[in-house]
Amino acid sequence: MQTNFRSPTARLEEMRIKRRDTEQWMSRRLLPDNIRERIRRYEQFRWQETRGVDEEMLDQNLPSDLRRDIKRHLCVPLLKRVPVFEKMDEQVLDAMCDRLKPVLYIEESYVVREGDLVDEMLFVMQGKLSTTTINGGRTAVFIPEYLEAGEICGEELLTWALDRRSSSNLPISTRTVRTITEVEAFALMADDLKFVASQFRQLHGKQLRHTLRFHSQQWRTWAACSIQAAWRRYSKKKLCGKRKIDCKMH
């Protein structure tokens, strides 16, 4: 506890030492310049957000009831901004809040790439992300969308967790998600989400599944891809028909 309440001067000195050690480590490992720059930007962003306070260690040293109240203050309003969870029972929200972990991303970082396994659901607090898909390479469709504060990334993990028949194999991302700005978020890992889903039957209701499908970017992306692909087929077929008519006329 005393470590986390050191004077600002002491924390600045610790940051300076850590930065020096990081530079030496990067040189020893012969990291390329672009990776070194990303590490520097991440460390700078983390310092701006925490001012050198180890929030996870501080949280672990607090009594359980105080930890729960802090997590509720930080996370429940965020969860309720997500349509899937806005009418959820308080017990479910408490269970999810207890397992959320803070994460930071610098700009132009990949959160997940299309085709990768989805191992966490991300609740965006601040910042902006882009989400794109090429529909698994099956079409030339490239659909950009954006995620901002109050939105989620990795909602296919919730569908996986709610399916009692799902295997231990994680779902595959249908999109590439990349940060546009610096992003502050909370992450819920796959195992934690599966545990919460197994404890509360109300998560398995049809209404929740309908809400999830209605607001899911995955479903919207699939629908948009299907519509565009159908339109391309129709346009191609119509163009071929017109050419045949022109050939007959000549």
Side-chain angles (χ1 to χ4, degrees), residues 212-226:
L212 177 62
R213 180 175 294 190
F214 180 78
H215 291 281
S216 169
Q217 270 201 324
Q218 181 184 4
W219 281 92
R220 292 202 303 268
T221 298
W222 174 84
C225 287
S226 298

Side-chain angles (χ1 to χ4, degrees), residues 67-82 85 93-102 123 125 185-187:
R67 285 203 308 268
R68 184 173 58 251
D69 290 344
I70 292 172
K71 278 287 184 73
R72 280 184 57 82
H73 170 74
L74 292 174
C75 303
V76 168
L78 177 65
L79 290 175
K80 286 189 173 181
R81 287 164 64 180
V82 180
F85 302 115
L93 295 178
D94 283 345
M96 294 182 68
C97 284
D98 193 45
R99 290 164 176 79
L100 288 173
K101 299 177 182 178
F123 298 83
M125 289 182 66
F186 281 101

Side-chain angles (χ1 to χ4, degrees), residues 26-208:
M26 292 190 296
S27 296
R28 190 165 60 251
R29 295 299 182 182
L30 302 176
L31 296 181
D33 290 341
N34 63 322
I35 294 181
R36 294 189 191 197
E37 182 58 29
R38 287 170 60 193
I39 292 174
R40 294 185 190 110
R41 283 163 48 202
Y42 175 78
E43 291 296 336
Q44 181 64 30
F45 179 42
R46 188 170 69 168
W47 168 259
Q48 290 173 359
E49 293 299 313
T50 65
R51 286 293 183 254
V53 175
D54 189 335
E55 294 180 337
E56 288 194 36
M57 183 180 294
L58 177 61
D59 182 70
Q60 291 171 4
N61 290 327
L62 293 173
S64 58
D65 64 330
L66 189 51
R67 285 203 308 268
R68 184 173 58 251
D69 290 344
I70 292 172
K71 278 287 184 73
R72 280 184 57 82
H73 170 74
L74 292 174
C75 303
V76 168
L78 177 65
L79 290 175
K80 286 189 173 181
R81 287 164 64 180
V82 180
V84 177
F85 302 115
E86 62 181 351
K87 296 181 180 179
M88 196 66 66
D89 186 274
E90 293 294 320
Q91 283 187 310
V92 180
L93 295 178
D94 283 345
M96 294 182 68
C97 284
D98 193 45
R99 290 164 176 79
L100 288 173
K101 299 177 182 178
V103 291
L104 300 172
Y105 289 95
I106 59 174
E107 59 186 40
E108 298 181 0
S109 296
Y110 285 97
V111 177
V112 65
R113 298 174 189 264
E114 186 170 355
D116 287 351
L117 295 178
V118 181
D119 61 358
E120 67 180 15
M121 191 158 68
L122 209 65
F123 298 83
V124 183
M125 289 182 66
Q126 295 180 19
K128 188 175 183 179
L129 308 91
S130 70
T131 165
T132 56
T133 181
I134 54 172
N135 195 23
R138 292 186 293 273
T139 70
V141 181
F142 186 80
I143 304 172
E145 294 186 20
Y146 300 97
L147 296 172
E148 296 180 323
E151 296 187 284
I152 59 175
C153 164
E155 66 272 15
E156 52 262 72
L157 198 62
L158 181 57
T159 305
W160 168 82
L162 294 177
D163 187 354
R164 293 188 178 94
R165 299 167 298 175
S166 64
S167 65
S168 58
N169 296 328
L170 294 171
I172 295 175
S173 178
T174 58
R175 296 169 291 151
T176 293
V177 180
R178 192 181 189 191
T179 61
I180 298 175
T181 65
E182 293 173 336
V183 169
E184 185 177 356
F186 281 101
L188 187 62
M189 304 308 294
D191 289 342
D192 292 327
L193 183 56
K194 192 77 168 178
F195 174 79
V196 173
S198 69
Q199 299 299 305
F200 298 95
R201 295 182 62 183
Q202 62 178 287
L203 284 172
H204 298 272
K206 289 184 178 180
Q207 183 60 44
L208 178 66

